[in-house]
Amino acid sequence: MELIALKLKNFRQFYGEQSVHFSTDQDQNVTVIHGSNGSGKTTLLNAFTWLFYDNISLPKPDQLVSERAVAEVNSGDSVTVSVSLEFEHEGTEYEATRIKEFAKREGISAVEQSSEIRLEFTDEHGNLKTRSNPGTMLNQIMPERLKEIFFFDGETIDELSAIDGQEKIQEAIRNIMGLSILERSTRHLEHAVGKYEQIAQEQGSEELSNLISEKQDITQQITTKEDTLESHRQSKSETEDEVSDIEDRLSQLEGSRELQIERDNLKEELTDVDSDIEATNDDIAREISERGFLPFAMPAVEETGKMLQKKREKGEIPSDIKTHFVDDLLELKECICGRPLKKGTNPYEEVKGWRERAGSTEIEETAMSIVGRLSELGGDQEKLYSEIERHLSRRAQKADKKQEIQERLDEISSQLSDEEQESIADLESRRRDLLGKIGEYDEKIRNLEAKIEELKDKRKALEDEIAEAKEENEKAQLARKRAQTAAYLQSQISTLFQQYQDEVRQNVNERVNEIFQDIIAKNYYAKISDDYTLQILKDVGETSEIPVAQSQGERQVASLSFIATLISLARERYESDEDATYFKGGIYPMIMDSPFGSLDPTYQERVSRMLPEMAQQVVVMVTQSQWSEAVANEMEHVAGERYYLDYHDPGEESGTNYEYTDLVRKTGGDY
Amino acid sequence: MSGQDIPDGVDEETVTRMMRRVLEAEKDKLHMGNPIGINDDIESIIEDEIK
């Protein structure tokens, strides 16, 4: 979506017709609107949301009409309020207009008489046409649930990074990156599967009906158990976090620091030892897989070797005469001594009889090579035994080491529990309790996983039975086919969703962090956690990361980075050749009231440097204090259009008792 | 019904087309918090393709 122009008529404090033309220059893609506090910056932002969604977030939201416009007409006369936006979207030019007519009552009060939303566009032949579903279309272009992403107030945008911002972040990622389409599809297809199975059941035989019932019952059990499993996993994860917090705390307390550090190191070592043991087990398994047959085969091998050797010793292999030599003589019909060999004659039969004791060249060569190989196998068997012995010895060493480490860990735990300092002992005691709980969760999880696997196997068997069930009823057959197809589509889309979700999360994380680190001065980084919390973290040691105590400014930068990430990723996808119905991407502008919010001068400068790169089109509304010298230096050369909000105080303006604001285009000089 | 194997009598082209149609239908109603009629839309697609 590329913004072209916004026109206001009698909208709030904007008296009469006012307009803004947005910069569409690629190199000077920023439109700057200057205005002091109260001059109408937030109202201008709300003009967009009122147009798109008939929704504003301002004091006295019902008072849409310009007070001055109402004051100037007689009682009963009407006043028109409208907001229009010209824009381009996916190659088509549109003009969206929301109009409301108000009738004046007394003073400056007015009541709404009519309301209309229009969306006109120019078709490929240059004709002006009107969309029949303007509200729907506008919502598709700029979904209302994402309005805080595209039209935002810089002073409250830090809420995205706040603890309860997860839902908005999840919504934004899923919606803009196409995940919602995939996720919804799988749910709705599930509904279709259920419906067609129901029909198949109703139309089908009793046998089929019972099988389907049984399958539905098992599916329900699986769902319930999976919910419980997820709950246990969540609880386990929370408990592990609590253990981790306790260990962090212990590493900070003087009485326990050293022991906790030693414990941390030992746990790492234990992980390495476990990995070694696992690797050794794999080596043993591989040896057995490749050469494990040898001990069982050796008796037969030895006997075969002896048999072949005997034949050699007797001269049976290699034989004196080869079969092909005998065959050649019979074919030539002449012996080597010159005697003719006619079929049926004694010489012929005698020579033919030599075949009995002649040897095949191929067989003899093979036999000789077998003899050679058989003698090597004996060596291979020795090698197998020595390798397995070596692995077992190594594994035993590692097992001893593991035991040693575990004993030391137990010792440390006992020492901490005996610690005189009460808080340390309490912490260690709590830690042990929590580890016990984790153990319980592990067992419950294992049991549930096994049970779920069992139920899934049962369900698969039922599905196979259902598929095979002979069904003569055509309607049932058709319903079953439709259910199978819906289920297949669901599984395909679900797989796609899982793969794509991981890819999206990684892409979003990388880009958010990239932008965040370009702005932030400290050694922090931004990350979106698995539960969609926008976190700011710092590294502790080589492997740990902890959330920082975020300032409002840092949260604001993180939120801005997140928004810029989505807009840039959507744009990249739109401009790429990749074809995916669920995510074609799009071009979105960034429209910000007070983008610098509560940022200090250093961050204001850095943000202003990054802003033009964050979206194809950027619209910022700033106060004079926010337009510092540093910001002006960064933004003046990229500001393709500049306006200021000329506020008129009723006390100062002659001829009117009502406040109003003019939108004035800036054509040069300082603001 | 197994969701893992392509059903008998349904070809790959049909499945691809159905997937595209389902996703388009979802996309058209993405802006709705509660996509009214989407189940009917999807069933129409399935019944149109699998006869």
Side-chain angles (χ1 to χ4, degrees):
Chain A
M1 183 193 198
E2 187 182 64
L3 306 173
I4 299 170
L6 180 74
K7 295 171 202 165
L8 313 175
K9 184 175 179 181
N10 295 326
F11 182 75
R12 300 279 290 194
Q13 70 217 76
F14 292 94
Y15 167 73
E17 292 183 358
Q18 310 274 349
S19 63
V20 173
H21 286 79
F22 301 103
S23 176
T24 54
D25 186 319
Q26 278 188 9
D27 296 321
Q28 292 185 306
N29 63 332
V30 181
T31 300
V32 183
I33 300 172
H34 302 270
S36 54
N37 290 329
S39 63
K41 298 189 303 304
T42 308
T43 302
L44 206 52
L45 190 72
N46 275 267
F48 284 96
T49 59
W50 185 71
L51 166 65
F52 276 91
Y53 319 117
D54 195 10
N55 182 310
I56 59 173
S57 301
L58 290 166
K60 300 180 186 171
D62 296 331
Q63 291 187 9
L64 280 173
V65 198
S66 155
E67 289 176 350
R68 184 177 167 185
V70 174
E72 288 177 355
V73 300
N74 296 323
S75 187
D77 287 349
S78 70
V79 178
T80 303
V81 176
S82 71
V83 172
S84 288
L85 179 69
E86 285 177 45
F87 62 94
E88 189 189 298
H89 177 66
E90 293 185 352
T92 302
E93 281 195 16
Y94 291 88
E95 182 168 10
T97 306
R98 190 176 293 276
I99 305 174
K100 290 197 178 187
E101 296 288 339
F102 288 80
K104 176 172 175 172
R105 279 198 166 162
E106 287 170 3
I108 54 167
S109 79
V111 288
E112 187 179 318
Q113 299 292 298
S114 68
S115 175
E116 187 194 348
I117 172 81
R118 269 202 317 263
L119 183 60
E120 291 167 323
F121 68 99
T122 308
D123 69 11
E124 62 268 22
H125 304 296
N127 302 320
L128 192 66
K129 291 198 167 165
T130 306
R131 282 273 182 210
S132 59
N133 55 346
T136 302
M137 183 78 188
L138 286 175
N139 222 324
Q140 285 178 348
I141 294 169
M142 289 287 233
E144 184 171 4
R145 282 170 294 136
L146 299 177
K147 68 176 187 285
E148 285 171 34
I149 301 294
F150 304 119
F151 314 112
F152 66 89
D153 182 347
E155 286 172 358
T156 58
I157 197 57
D158 63 296
E159 286 167 10
L160 269 183
S161 319
I163 198 74
D164 52 359
Q166 298 116 304
E167 214 179 292
K168 289 179 192 167
I169 289 182
Q170 184 177 31
E171 177 82 47
I173 292 175
R174 288 189 155 194
N175 230 286
I176 293 177
M177 303 304 289
L179 286 166
S180 291
I181 294 175
L182 295 172
E183 188 262 329
R184 282 181 170 195
S185 299
T186 57
R187 273 193 286 121
H188 298 142
L189 281 165
E190 174 87 44
H191 184 272
V193 170
K195 176 179 166 170
Y196 293 119
E197 283 187 346
Q198 182 74 24
I199 295 173
Q201 187 177 11
E202 285 162 5
Q203 300 287 338
S205 68
E206 197 176 331
E207 180 204 352
L208 181 62
S209 176
N210 289 340
L211 286 171
I212 292 174
S213 283
E214 205 180 330
K215 185 210 155 189
Q216 284 169 345
D217 180 54
I218 289 178
T219 299
Q220 183 54 46
Q221 286 182 52
I222 290 172
T223 303
T224 306
K225 288 197 185 317
E226 279 178 340
D227 286 345
T228 309
L229 180 63
E230 186 52 36
S231 168
H232 286 327
R233 282 182 178 148
Q234 180 68 25
S235 299
K236 180 187 164 186
S237 172
E238 284 166 9
T239 310
E240 283 171 339
D241 285 345
E242 217 184 317
V243 168
S244 184
D245 287 343
I246 289 174
E247 288 176 347
D248 282 342
R249 181 80 189 110
L250 286 170
S251 69
Q252 286 161 18
L253 291 171
E254 202 172 307
S256 57
R257 186 180 305 130
E258 278 183 31
L259 285 173
Q260 182 56 43
I261 289 173
E262 188 189 346
R263 179 155 63 186
D264 289 339
N265 292 337
L266 285 171
K267 277 165 70 177
E268 267 186 47
E269 208 183 326
L270 186 61
T271 305
D272 290 341
V273 166
D274 277 336
S275 295
D276 272 346
I277 292 174
E278 204 178 313
T280 308
N281 284 340
D282 288 342
D283 288 339
I284 293 171
R286 194 176 49 250
E287 285 292 339
I288 292 174
S289 165
E290 287 172 8
R291 290 191 275 216
F293 68 92
L294 286 168
F296 302 98
M298 281 319 288
V301 164
E302 282 162 1
E303 202 178 310
T304 307
K306 282 180 191 163
M307 184 207 42
L308 287 171
Q309 189 57 30
K310 253 188 185 170
K311 284 194 175 288
R312 281 186 74 175
E313 284 162 6
K314 281 186 183 173
E316 287 174 24
I317 51 167
S319 65
D320 299 332
I321 312 170
K322 301 288 181 278
T323 49
H324 72 82
F325 176 69
V326 173
D327 289 338
D328 285 346
L329 291 180
L330 293 174
E331 201 174 310
L332 287 168
K333 295 188 176 99
E334 188 177 299
C335 185
I336 49 170
C337 65
R339 246 195 310 179
L341 296 173
K342 267 191 189 163
K343 238 184 184 170
T345 63
N346 278 345
Y348 183 92
E349 293 301 322
E350 204 169 311
V351 168
K352 193 175 166 188
W354 290 349
R355 280 186 115 261
E356 298 294 319
R357 60 181 177 92
S360 153
T361 307
E362 292 83 12
I363 291 174
E364 287 185 3
E365 279 173 2
T366 305
M368 296 320 292
S369 77
I370 285 174
V371 168
R373 183 71 187 104
L374 288 179
S375 63
E376 282 172 18
L377 283 177
D380 284 351
Q381 185 180 254
E382 286 310 311
K383 204 171 165 192
L384 167 70
Y385 288 151
S386 75
E387 280 298 298
I388 293 209
E389 205 173 309
R390 184 173 70 82
H391 289 316
L392 286 173
S393 164
R394 190 167 140 221
R395 189 172 68 178
Q397 272 176 20
K398 294 292 171 187
D400 286 342
K401 181 70 183 166
K402 181 173 175 174
Q403 179 150 0
E404 198 183 302
I405 294 172
Q406 279 168 337
E407 280 168 9
R408 179 62 189 141
L409 284 171
D410 288 340
E411 241 176 74
I412 289 174
S413 184
S414 297
Q415 276 179 266
L416 287 170
S417 299
D418 292 341
E419 205 14 73
E420 275 178 18
Q421 197 176 334
E422 201 177 308
S423 57
I424 291 176
D426 286 342
L427 284 169
E428 184 60 22
S429 167
R430 175 87 184 124
R431 182 184 164 275
R432 279 182 168 177
D433 288 343
L434 290 174
L435 286 177
K437 273 209 172 118
I438 290 172
E440 285 170 20
Y441 283 130
D442 277 337
E443 196 181 330
K444 285 179 184 171
I445 286 167
R446 269 195 305 273
N447 290 340
L448 273 171
E449 282 173 344
K451 188 65 188 162
I452 289 168
E453 208 46 47
E454 196 187 308
L455 285 169
K456 282 182 174 174
D457 286 342
K458 245 179 153 176
R459 183 171 65 180
K460 179 75 177 71
L462 276 170
E463 285 169 354
D464 291 340
E465 270 187 77
I466 289 167
E468 283 175 18
K470 297 258 183 278
E471 186 50 62
E472 292 177 357
N473 186 314
E474 277 185 18
K475 281 186 184 171
Q477 279 180 343
L478 181 60
R480 195 149 44 88
K481 191 174 175 187
R482 284 171 174 168
Q484 284 170 341
T485 307
Y488 179 73
L489 286 174
Q490 185 196 17
S491 80
Q492 294 293 101
I493 292 175
S494 180
T495 302
L496 189 59
F497 173 64
Q498 292 303 326
Q499 287 167 351
Y500 185 53
Q501 184 171 235
D502 292 339
E503 188 189 315
V504 161
R505 195 195 296 281
Q506 192 181 343
N507 287 343
V508 168
N509 258 330
E510 279 172 10
R511 187 66 59 88
V512 162
N513 196 34
E514 208 178 287
I515 297 173
F516 181 77
Q517 289 199 322
D518 273 343
I519 299 171
I520 214 79
K522 297 178 186 175
N523 205 9
Y524 293 168
Y525 52 94
K527 182 177 166 182
I528 297 173
S529 66
D530 289 350
D531 67 348
Y532 293 96
T533 306
L534 179 53
Q535 298 174 315
I536 302 173
L537 306 165
K538 67 178 180 184
D539 283 332
V540 174
E542 286 184 9
T543 53
S544 297
E545 57 182 30
I546 58 169
V548 302
Q550 306 163 16
S551 67
Q552 190 184 7
E554 283 158 357
R555 287 207 301 276
Q556 192 175 348
V557 171
S559 301
L560 208 54
S561 305
F562 171 69
I563 293 170
T565 293
L566 291 186
I567 290 176
S568 69
L569 287 176
R571 179 181 167 186
E572 279 171 19
R573 187 54 177 258
Y574 184 76
E575 291 172 349
S576 82
D577 293 329
E578 273 186 76
D579 176 35
T581 306
Y582 52 91
F583 180 45
K584 285 189 160 61
I587 306 284
Y588 300 101
M590 258 176 123
I591 303 157
M592 296 170 283
D593 178 13
S594 303
F596 307 115
S598 46
L599 297 177
D600 68 29
T602 309
Y603 284 157
Q604 283 189 8
E605 187 190 337
R606 288 178 175 213
V607 165
S608 58
R609 190 180 313 142
M610 296 292 299
L611 268 177
E613 294 161 31
M614 287 183 176
Q616 182 164 290
Q617 240 181 345
V618 177
V619 180
V620 296
M621 293 170 231
V622 294
T623 60
Q624 189 170 7
S625 62
Q626 291 169 348
W627 194 252
S628 64
E629 192 181 331
V631 167
N633 285 341
E634 293 294 342
M635 298 200 74
E636 262 169 2
H637 65 284
V638 292
E641 288 286 349
R642 286 175 71 179
Y643 287 80
Y644 67 90
L645 298 173
D646 189 10
Y647 174 72
H648 300 272
D649 188 1
E652 293 173 3
E653 187 72 21
S654 60
T656 176
N657 294 321
Y658 306 98
E659 64 171 5
Y660 67 96
T661 297
D662 288 326
L663 256 171
V664 180
R665 193 173 183 197
K666 197 174 171 325
T667 51
D670 295 328
Y671 164 65
Chain B
M1 311 278 169
S2 169
Q4 303 301 318
D5 304 319
I6 192 164
D8 289 337
V10 182
D11 58 49
E12 192 69 48
E13 197 184 317
T14 302
V15 164
T16 304
R17 191 172 53 244
M18 285 177 78
M19 203 181 306
R20 189 175 287 275
R21 287 181 69 182
V22 165
L23 293 174
E24 287 282 3
E26 289 286 354
K27 195 173 164 194
D28 285 344
K29 294 196 170 170
L30 184 62
H31 62 285
M32 297 163 81
N34 187 14
I36 298 166
I38 189 65
N39 288 332
D40 291 338
D41 295 340
I42 289 177
E43 284 161 23
S44 293
I45 293 167
I46 293 171
E47 286 161 19
D48 182 47
E49 296 280 357
I50 308 294
K51 291 180 175 151

